[in-house]
Amino acid sequence: MKEIILGSIMGTAVGDSLGLLYEGLSSKRQRKLYKNINSQKFFMGKGFISDDTEHTLMVAHALYHSSGDEEIFSRYLARSLRKWIISMPLGIGFASLRACIKLLVGFPPEKSGVFSAGNGPAMRSALIGIICGNDIQKMKSLVRISTRITHTDPKAEIGALTVAYAAFIAGTKKEVAPSSFYEGLKSLLIGYESLEFLKIVEEVVDSVYNNESTREYVERLGLKNGVSGYIYHTVPVVIHAWLSYKGNFRKSIIEMIECGGDTDTTAAILGGILGASATVAGIPEELQENIYLFPYSKKYIENISHALAYKNKRTSEIQVKEPFWGLSLIRNLIFIPVIAFHVIRRMLPPY
């Protein structure tokens, strides 16, 4: 279990750090500006993590402290989000921003969410599936809490639950038949307003069986500027890439990024699912080492993975504390010029 958890978290961080440089770019503009997506190159040849990895680690921390207790999980996740928002995170989604401000001014977690179907909840749900997938009701409850703390549109919950379920399946089966996944998801979503979403996933399954690439699938959807932040765009495309996985982690993440759009989030979600399957041993080591994780560290990720895997065993008395939020604030302030450089670079030739 530890290797599955560690693989999912590191897969998220790798996808996030690879995709961040290309966020918001269409696949055509990517090819104009950057010749090679083979490694991280956001700053001095390394990659940054963004909110995708940070939210995954917040959920890991909440799961560690709560041991599945829903009230404690909600409390710890809300506490982490409050600290995160005052660290001035860069590139935060509007729905998450409004929800976190509501938390900061005193709204309880069950009332802080805003009506949105953005992809924020999907980027932090993989671990819930891996940890709680054998207890379907517990998985549903924790996904609901994690989702509604920021996003209240039922579509957001359906998308997040799909990612959690995919990560659970990826961690338990080396090969997943697309039709089998669809039938399992269909059963899982009984009681949800999911007819529209299941129709989309059914089309994804057909596309995979027809050997259509993920990029071809995205182009057929008419997403000329890339995959948007709408959860009914993000999650189906990620599921397509996962079900098309041929065992090459780097290649799959790069193909996801080449679809364009919200590339850090799509690559991070895909990385979280693939990492559960490949485990950390299946993720290229140089991609793991080539990330600025500060204020986190690889040791922190290893410790939280160990603690989650062995939470109920005496052998696991590892105490894991979240980094001081002020360190994230310092990091974000220092790298504002780097962000500004990349924004300006995008405005320049070649066109």
Side-chain angles (χ1 to χ4, degrees):
M1 176 63 83
K2 176 188 174 182
E3 294 305 310
I4 294 172
I5 296 169
L6 180 57
S8 180
I9 297 175
M10 286 308 302
T12 298
V14 167
D16 186 12
S17 62
L18 267 171
L20 184 60
L21 179 61
Y22 312 97
E23 182 182 11
L25 294 175
S26 67
S27 57
K28 181 178 179 181
R29 188 63 176 147
Q30 281 182 23
R31 295 193 298 273
K32 288 286 187 178
L33 289 174
Y34 305 103
K35 302 299 182 184
N36 189 352
I37 308 178
N38 201 44
S39 63
Q40 299 101 327
K41 57 188 80 171
F42 197 86
F43 180 68
M44 297 182 67
K46 288 199 171 188
F48 280 11
I49 59 170
S50 70
D51 55 345
D52 305 281
T53 305
E54 290 177 315
H55 279 230
T56 293
L57 291 172
M58 289 180 213
V59 166
H61 193 72
L63 287 168
Y64 163 67
H65 281 284
S66 67
S67 297
D69 183 286
E70 295 168 19
E71 184 178 346
I72 297 174
F73 176 82
S74 177
R75 186 167 71 244
Y76 268 93
L77 184 55
R79 183 181 301 174
S80 294
L81 286 168
R82 289 187 189 101
K83 291 187 289 185
W84 177 72
I85 195 63
I86 60 177
S87 71
M88 296 175 61
L90 304 172
I92 181 174
F94 188 48
S96 294
L97 173 63
R98 287 181 289 160
C100 288
I101 289 175
K102 289 174 71 175
L103 284 171
L104 197 59
V105 300
F107 280 79
E110 60 272 16
K111 295 183 179 180
S112 59
V114 299
F115 191 80
S116 169
N119 57 21
M123 73 190 189
R124 58 177 180 258
S125 64
L127 276 184
I128 299 174
I130 292 169
I131 301 297
C132 304
N134 285 315
D135 184 342
I136 295 298
Q137 292 308 314
K138 179 63 66 178
M139 179 175 71
K140 287 182 175 180
S141 294
L142 294 183
V143 166
R144 181 176 298 114
I145 291 168
S146 175
T147 299
R148 294 184 181 181
I149 198 170
T150 54
H151 295 65
T152 60
D153 189 326
K155 292 179 179 180
E157 187 174 337
I158 289 170
L161 186 57
T162 300
V163 171
Y165 179 63
F168 167 65
I169 295 297
T172 56
K173 298 180 180 179
K174 291 302 179 185
E175 293 187 12
V176 181
S179 59
S180 176
F181 171 76
Y182 172 76
E183 291 301 325
L185 182 65
K186 186 177 178 181
S187 177
L188 181 72
L189 293 178
I190 291 174
Y192 293 80
E193 297 177 5
S194 58
L195 288 179
E196 177 188 357
F197 185 75
L198 286 171
K199 178 62 177 175
I200 295 170
V201 176
E202 187 175 19
E203 292 170 356
V204 166
V205 169
D206 290 341
S207 173
V208 172
Y209 277 130
N210 289 329
N211 294 315
E212 188 174 35
S213 71
T214 302
R215 187 167 165 185
E216 289 171 335
Y217 171 71
V218 168
E219 290 175 350
R220 186 161 57 79
L221 292 180
L223 301 176
K224 296 180 180 180
N225 294 321
V227 185
S228 75
Y230 175 47
I231 204 161
Y232 274 20
H233 287 163
T234 297
V235 173
V237 171
V238 168
I239 295 301
H240 190 291
W242 168 56
L243 292 176
S244 302
Y245 181 51
K246 300 297 190 294
N248 187 323
F249 182 92
R250 187 200 303 265
K251 183 179 179 181
S252 295
I253 294 295
I254 290 173
E255 287 179 353
M256 183 78 266
I257 293 170
E258 287 176 341
C259 290
D262 196 4
T263 51
D264 60 328
T265 297
T266 55
I269 297 172
L270 178 60
I273 298 172
L274 294 184
S277 177
T279 73
V280 72
I283 303 173
E285 187 174 352
E286 71 272 17
L287 295 182
Q288 298 183 54
E289 299 297 331
N290 206 34
I291 309 172
Y292 288 115
L293 288 168
F294 183 84
Y296 299 97
S297 66
K298 194 170 183 182
K299 184 64 176 176
Y300 174 89
I301 293 173
E302 289 171 350
N303 284 346
I304 194 72
S305 299
H306 182 93
L308 284 171
Y310 301 106
K311 179 65 179 174
N312 297 320
K313 298 182 181 180
R314 292 182 181 179
T315 56
S316 73
E317 292 304 317
I318 293 179
Q319 298 299 314
V320 185
K321 293 184 178 180
E322 282 189 301
F324 173 54
W325 66 267
L327 296 175
S328 294
L329 174 61
I330 293 170
R331 177 202 62 191
N332 293 337
L333 291 174
I334 288 175
F335 284 107
I336 285 176
V338 180
I339 304 296
F341 167 80
H342 285 296
V343 170
I344 294 171
R345 174 68 188 90
R346 293 174 176 212
M347 300 177 183
L348 302 176
Y351 299 112

